[in-house]
Each structure stands twice: as structure tokens, then as C-alpha cells.
Amino acid sequence: MKIEFWSDIVCPYCGLMDHRLHLALDRFAYGDQVQVVHRSFQLHPDLPRSGVTQRELIGMAGAPASTVERVLRPIERAATAEGLTPYRTVDRTLGPTDLAHELLAYAADQGRANEIWTAMFRAHFGQARKLWTADEVLDFAAEVGLDRAEAAEALRSRRYRARVTADQREAQRLGARGAPFLVFDGRFAVPGAIGTNDLLAVITKVWDESHPTPHLLPVVAGADGVCTPDGCA
């Protein structure tokens, strides 16, 4: 079974859903047979490299200041209740995530995609880390054990830029208007964040439909003879 998970590392619902996905798969009996594929969806590609605060971004978007207490603080409280702490959705800086996503694509080629995505979410929301410039992204890469020189060459050459762009284009083709956006075995989509129990229910439904449980057929009449490995009677 494959779960494709489109997200952006500055999206607070995405970081929370990454945590919930881990929780759901830990509870799922066949979790070790589920492949999670992270894909990129950039939310604010036009922000300055220097970054802007969350409150500044709210103002730039023309949203009311009440968005902080109405939307963002509840996400923090939900994260804390689910064991994800600290989780800073307000007291942080946001910036363009193109280079971060290109590093994540490089990490995928090293076989470390899921681990590094989770680490990047934790760095940003747990430590309010800025990951907008090449130096910031490469410092993070070195901290999580990626080869800094190889990562620097990947960013310098921009060889993963097309992959990042293709990820977003594919999500939009499938109907995504934002992130998070999850697709299960290419058959069901979940646009937005849902709770761990609901997420587990979706995973179970998709698994059960793809792996039907064998059942005995009803017997409509007896028979006089039958042969088994032990002989015929």
C-alpha cells in the first residue's frame, strides 16, 4: 500500500499530519507494509529569503489578526495534546521553501526521505528554524547526517528543481488546492488535516479493499465422496 503525502514544511497542519501519520501507522497491524512517499507543495514561493514573521504574513494576506487565536493557537494545543511539543505555529519566521524541498528530494535519493521530512518539520516547528537560504538548508543537512558537500552541489546545480515543480503540478492535477494533501493507493484523496483515528480508519479501509479476507463459501448440498491428502472416502 502506498500513501503519497504532499506538504510544505511551513504548513502547521502538515507537520501535525506527519506526526499523526506516524501514530496511525504504529497502530496499524500492517504498518510495515505501507510505503509513505513525501511530495512537495510550496505554499509561499514568493516570500523574501530573509523571511517574514507569521503575524506579518497574516497581514500580507489580508487576513484578520484574530487568525492567530482562531486558527493557529488551536493547532499548537492539538499538537501538545498529541505529544508533539514544542510546536510553534505563531512565533516563527516563514520564507520560500524551494531549496528546502530540493534538499528533501536529494534526501529521498539517499533513501532517507521520511526521516528527513520529519526532522525538518521538527526543526521548523520545534525550534522555529529558518530554512530559506542555501546556508540555512545546508547547516540543517549537516546536522541530520547528510553529506554537506554533496547537498551543496545538488542545490547549486538545481537538479531537483524540476522534480519539486512536478510534484506540485501533479497534486494540482489531482485536485489539491493546498496542503496537506494525501492520496491512498491512487484511489482516495484526503485534502486537509484529519485526526489520527480518522486517518487510521482511512488506511484500514483502503487496505481491506485491496486485501480482501478469504472466507468459506456456504455449502448448499452434501456429497457422497471426497478425496483429501489422507485418501478418499
Side-chain angles (χ1 to χ4, degrees):
M1 177 179 171
K2 181 168 74 172
I3 300 175
E4 295 171 277
F5 180 11
W6 275 269
S7 60
D8 197 352
I9 63 153
V10 295
C11 162
Y13 282 122
C14 295
L16 184 56
M17 280 298 290
D18 179 74
H19 180 64
R20 288 173 174 172
L21 186 56
H22 283 291
L23 294 177
L25 291 177
D26 284 345
R27 292 167 51 189
F28 184 55
Y30 307 101
D32 60 341
Q33 298 179 49
V34 176
Q35 177 191 16
V36 177
V37 179
H38 283 274
R39 300 199 184 281
S40 298
F41 197 109
Q42 297 178 72
L43 293 173
H44 307 292
D46 298 325
L47 289 178
R49 290 282 173 203
S50 56
V52 299
T53 69
Q54 176 64 80
R55 294 179 189 276
E56 287 173 337
L57 182 62
I58 290 172
M60 290 165 60
S66 61
T67 301
V68 169
E69 297 302 328
R70 183 174 54 84
V71 178
L72 297 176
R73 293 299 187 195
I75 299 175
E76 289 184 348
R77 290 193 290 270
T80 298
E82 297 173 34
L84 186 60
T85 184
Y87 198 75
R88 300 179 174 91
T89 66
V90 178
D91 302 319
R92 62 186 177 120
T93 300
L94 295 85
T97 53
D98 53 340
L99 298 179
H101 282 288
E102 289 175 35
L103 178 76
L104 290 164
Y106 164 76
D109 280 355
Q110 310 308 306
R112 298 183 62 191
N114 293 351
E115 170 196 354
I116 303 301
W117 270 90
T118 296
M120 192 173 284
F121 279 130
R122 293 304 300 130
H124 179 62
F125 290 106
Q127 306 167 20
R129 284 281 293 274
K130 299 178 181 180
L131 295 162
W132 329 134
T133 69
D135 285 342
E136 289 165 351
V137 170
L138 292 174
D139 286 346
F140 167 82
E143 289 173 17
V144 295
L146 292 171
D147 186 291
R148 186 186 177 106
E150 286 187 4
E153 192 281 326
L155 296 189
R156 185 167 49 251
S157 68
R158 304 306 300 266
R159 71 174 185 263
Y160 290 104
R161 178 164 49 183
R163 184 190 300 185
V164 170
T165 301
D167 273 357
Q168 186 140 351
R169 189 182 304 118
E170 176 65 6
Q172 292 166 337
R173 185 188 70 80
L174 293 172
R177 298 175 57 192
F181 184 75
L182 289 87
V183 172
F184 299 80
D185 263 354
R187 298 166 53 219
F188 297 98
V190 173
I194 59 175
T196 302
N197 290 339
D198 290 335
L199 182 57
L200 179 58
V202 174
I203 293 170
T204 302
K205 172 182 171 62
V206 175
W207 178 273
D208 288 347
E209 291 185 1
S210 301
H211 302 78
T213 302
H215 61 279
L216 296 176
L217 296 175
V219 175
V220 297
D224 291 335
V226 64
C227 291
T228 72
D230 297 324
C232 298

